[in-house]
Structures are given as structure tokens and as C-alpha cells.
Amino acid sequence: MDPEEKKYSVSEKFHAPNADVIIRSSDNMHFHIHRKYLEANTGAFPPSEFETGKDEVVALTESSVTLELLFSFIYPQRYPELEDVPFEIIEPLAEAAEKYEVFSAMYICHLRMKDFIPTNPTEVLSYACRHDYPLVISAAAEVAIALPLAESVRLMPPYLVMPWILYVDAWMKVYRNVQEASTHLDYGHTLFFIDQNANDCCGEWAHTVLSPISKRLVVGYSALGNLDALFSVKPTRDCCCNALTDCKEMIEREVKTIPKFKHFISNYK
Ligand SMILES: [Zn+2]
């Protein structure tokens, strides 16, 4: 046996004897596919290497898991359910759908990618920027604002850099408002978080609430991108709990005044 020849398996789902294209996944599974469906339902399939002889096996870089889902979108059949499919499978499927322009899969995958914004904001933002899905970008922006500016701006395509800077500027204004307001607020604990050395009436406020929140706010506006993390402190006294709730609600109200990122995109066009 040719040592170069790797063992392969054949897809249980795609093995029709009259198929005229054989595609091999990165993990050596063969898919027997009908060229007519590839041509009818995709924009970039078959790529140029498919023009080789009929018996040639075309090796792709995607895994068998990705390709089996992807090919399910090119045949005249019900599309696979992707509701409970995890991010680790959806992301490469979404990328493959874009690469080969499998339009039906592109549509479903971009909606599924949006669902993963809370858990994978950077990856979703990067995907949405690269493939130009403004609504996903806008939805991911609210989470991505918690990233350092150097990191978030790097994810943006050139045409979104200016809207992103204006969006960040709106967050910085709110950040300054919050700082300004906090210096004048008195919750029975004297100043909120600006002056840790102020004479507070309640020792717990300074140590349990003021100190950790002030440290988290040092990073700047991006701290407002994740208010749950910012306010993740656990005072025990009622006075501190109530003051903490008031502070958080005040900042939430301020943050809600910031327009959506899509507003900045459309304004800058
Ligand atoms: Zn207190």
C-alpha cells in the first residue's frame, strides 16, 4: 500500500453512487456530492480545483463535521436544525458558508452567530466585520465596548473605524457624566467612588464597595461595558446594598442614553 495514501471513511449521509464530485475533509472523510447542486446553490463552489478529472478527490481544509452540515444546505431537503449546535461547530460552519458562498447556510449561520455575542463577543464581532453583517456588528458592539480600544478597533474594517471612534466617544461622555454625577451624590456614604478617602459614615462601603469598583473604573469607559462585572461586590449591610443598587441603576440609565452602534454606522455613510 502506498504509504502516502491515508485511510479514509465515507460519509454516511453523502455517498450516492451517481454523485460526480468527491470531496475529502481535513480528517479524511469522503463526501460524494452532485455537482449540479453545488453549482445551483452556491456562489463559490466548485472552486477552480474542481475542474480536474472526474475521479480526482478534492481535498478541503474543513472538518467532516463542518462539511456534513454545509452540504446539507445545498441539497433540496430540509435544512439541519442549528438551534442547539454549540459555538465550536457554528463558527467554522459560518466561515465555510462564507468561503464557498452557500447562501442558505450564510443566512442561518449569521443569525446563530448573533446568539453567541454574550459568550464570544470578540469572535462574533470579528466574523461580522469581516463578512459585513451590520446588525450583528451593532449588537456585538455593546459587548465589545468592554474591550480595550486598541483591541476593538483592530477588529473593525476600515469603513467602521470612524463610526467606532464616535461610538466610543459617546461612551466616554457617559463615563465622564457618571464621574461628575458621582462626586455630587450622597448615599449616606458620602461620595460614591471618586474620593475613597472621604469621611464615610459606613466603613463597609469604603472597603467592600468603593475600593473594588474604583479600581475597576480606572480602565476608563470600557468598564461601563460590563456593569455586572463592575458592580460585582457583595456588601452585607442594608445601607450599602441600597446605595449600591441606586448607583448601578443610575449608571444603567446613563448607558441607555447611548445610541446603538448601527446609528453611528448609518450616520457616517
Ligand atoms: Zn453602608
Side-chain angles (χ1 to χ4, degrees):
M1 182 178 162
D2 183 349
E4 293 295 308
E5 189 180 322
K6 291 178 184 166
K7 282 185 180 171
Y8 66 86
S9 53
V10 177
S11 165
E12 283 185 19
K13 204 168 172 187
F14 300 100
H15 60 270
N18 63 345
D20 41 15
V21 175
I22 298 176
I23 295 170
R24 184 171 66 216
S25 65
S26 60
D27 50 347
N28 292 319
M29 183 175 281
H30 281 193
F31 294 82
H32 296 236
I33 305 293
H34 295 85
R35 180 184 287 265
K36 63 179 178 182
Y37 294 126
L38 286 176
E39 289 177 346
N41 299 315
T42 75
F45 240 142
S48 54
E49 61 261 38
F50 275 48
E51 303 305 329
T52 50
K54 185 171 180 275
D55 296 331
E56 289 253 4
V57 175
V58 179
L60 298 186
T61 54
E62 288 76 17
S63 74
S64 57
V65 173
T66 299
L67 291 183
E68 181 159 303
L69 281 170
L70 189 68
F71 293 140
S72 302
F73 283 94
I74 67 157
Y75 277 81
Q77 59 179 22
R78 287 180 73 146
Y79 299 145
E81 286 280 344
L82 297 181
E83 278 309 302
D84 298 322
V85 177
F87 182 76
E88 292 68 33
I89 291 176
I90 292 290
E91 188 193 30
L93 177 63
E95 292 293 350
E98 297 291 333
K99 180 176 170 185
Y100 301 114
E101 295 182 7
V102 182
F103 298 108
S104 51
M106 285 162 68
Y107 180 74
I108 294 169
C109 285
H110 101 276
L111 295 179
R112 283 295 287 131
M113 285 294 276
K114 195 161 173 266
D115 296 336
F116 290 106
I117 289 171
T119 52
N120 301 78
T122 314
E123 293 91 339
V124 176
L125 187 64
S126 168
Y127 152 86
C129 287
R130 278 183 288 110
H131 303 301
D132 196 19
Y133 287 108
L135 290 182
V136 182
I137 294 171
S138 193
E142 288 174 38
V143 182
I145 201 75
L147 300 171
L149 181 59
E151 198 177 318
S152 61
V153 84
R154 205 176 299 132
L155 296 172
M156 299 288 160
Y159 82 99
L160 285 181
V161 168
M162 201 59 208
W164 183 252
I165 288 171
L166 295 174
Y167 182 63
V168 167
D169 190 49
W171 279 83
M172 286 168 72
K173 279 186 188 123
V174 165
Y175 181 71
R176 286 193 292 271
N177 287 348
V178 167
Q179 283 186 313
E180 177 71 16
S182 66
T183 59
H184 301 300
L185 289 176
D186 186 345
Y187 293 109
H189 295 74
T190 67
L191 305 179
F192 169 34
F193 48 67
I194 295 303
D195 185 358
Q196 287 192 61
N197 299 317
N199 297 322
D200 58 300
C201 70
C202 172
E204 184 173 26
W205 180 253
H207 295 106
T208 312
V209 179
L210 203 60
S211 174
I213 292 180
S214 299
K215 280 180 189 145
R216 290 168 197 162
L217 276 169
V218 167
V219 298
Y221 72 90
S222 59
L224 302 181
N226 188 344
L227 293 184
D228 287 337
L230 177 62
F231 284 93
S232 164
V233 290
K234 294 209 182 321
T236 54
R237 298 176 64 170
D238 284 349
C239 55
C240 292
C241 292
N242 294 338
L244 185 66
T245 304
D246 287 348
C247 288
K248 191 176 178 194
E249 284 176 0
M250 177 200 77
I251 294 183
E252 278 170 345
R253 279 196 300 277
E254 286 282 335
V255 165
K256 277 189 182 144
T257 65
I258 300 171
K260 302 276 184 201
F261 184 47
K262 64 183 176 193
H263 169 85
F264 292 87
I265 299 175
S266 55
N267 270 13
Y268 205 74
K269 271 181 181 169

